[in-house]
Amino acid sequence: SMGSPSRSTAAVLVVLLAAALSYIPDSLLPPDGADSWLFFDGHCNLCDGFINFVVLGDSARQIKFGAQQKHQALMKTYGAPVDLSSVVLIQGGQVHTRSTAVMRVFARIDAPHRYLSIFYLIPSPIRDVCYQFVAKHRYSIFGHSEKCREPTKEFESRFLEYVEPTKPDFMA
């Protein structure tokens, strides 16, 4: 009958699609033990939403965050742009911006969120045109706040400016 080959074809396509979605190119992953620092526009509501998405998907707590407005000196030491035109990801001393930074973040977080990194297969000039359009219009579309996001108690240890509370000497 004709139904059987089409079912077989559909099953093969489903398996291939699942394999493609679970494929994370090694080039998106940082070297073992490398820190991942994600710098964002602290006034941008879209950026804030992205940080929330990453925190929820990063159960291994691999990514630390910082508002670009608070960390420009650190970013400059790595040669990263500080003009708020892009999220900036620094991994193992390497600077990544725009859509490539986003794809590398997706590759670090938990499934199923990490499967969004499949968009890395789209050439970066095409991804970056889309990224830059959204970045240019992010305030008008998503709004912005007057001051940088302050981490909640739940998130504060994920931010670069977090300092581990120390015990007094007599308790050590």
Side-chain angles (χ1 to χ4, degrees):
S1 80
M2 293 298 276
S4 184
S6 64
R7 255 189 244 133
S8 301
T9 303
V12 167
L13 288 175
V14 166
V15 168
L16 288 175
L17 179 61
L21 283 176
S22 64
Y23 170 70
I24 307 296
D26 288 341
S27 61
L28 286 179
L29 298 172
D32 287 342
D35 288 329
S36 293
W37 300 338
L38 181 60
F39 298 96
F40 62 99
D41 176 352
H43 296 268
C44 168
N45 291 343
L46 174 62
C47 305
D48 196 50
F50 180 59
I51 298 305
N52 289 335
F53 176 81
V54 173
V55 166
L56 291 173
D58 183 21
S59 63
R61 303 172 65 87
Q62 301 174 94
I63 300 169
K64 294 266 191 198
F65 309 100
Q68 290 184 22
Q69 290 89 339
K70 294 181 179 180
H71 295 284
Q72 291 196 350
L74 174 61
M75 293 170 65
K76 284 178 183 173
T77 65
Y78 288 93
V82 293
D83 62 0
L84 303 178
S85 65
S86 173
V87 295
V88 173
L89 179 67
I90 299 176
Q91 288 180 314
Q94 296 291 311
V95 175
H96 306 281
T97 58
R98 295 186 292 279
S99 66
T100 299
V102 173
M103 295 300 109
R104 292 180 73 88
V105 167
F106 287 158
R108 291 293 281 166
I109 62 180
D110 308 334
H113 307 97
R114 70 179 310 158
Y115 302 144
L116 291 168
S117 67
I118 191 74
F119 290 109
Y120 184 73
L121 299 175
I122 297 171
S124 62
I126 296 169
R127 290 193 324 259
D128 285 344
V129 164
C130 298
Y131 181 96
Q132 287 167 315
F133 177 82
V134 172
K136 182 177 180 181
H137 300 287
R138 69 189 186 274
Y139 285 174
S140 60
I141 297 170
F142 299 97
H144 66 281
S145 60
E146 293 304 314
K147 61 185 202 127
C148 287
R149 168 190 181 140
E150 290 296 324
T152 62
K153 288 288 180 205
E154 180 184 352
F155 292 161
E156 88 178 330
S157 67
R158 303 294 301 276
F159 280 72
L160 287 167
E161 59 268 24
Y162 178 73
V163 177
E164 187 78 37
T166 56
K167 292 181 181 172
D169 288 339
F170 64 88
M171 294 181 73

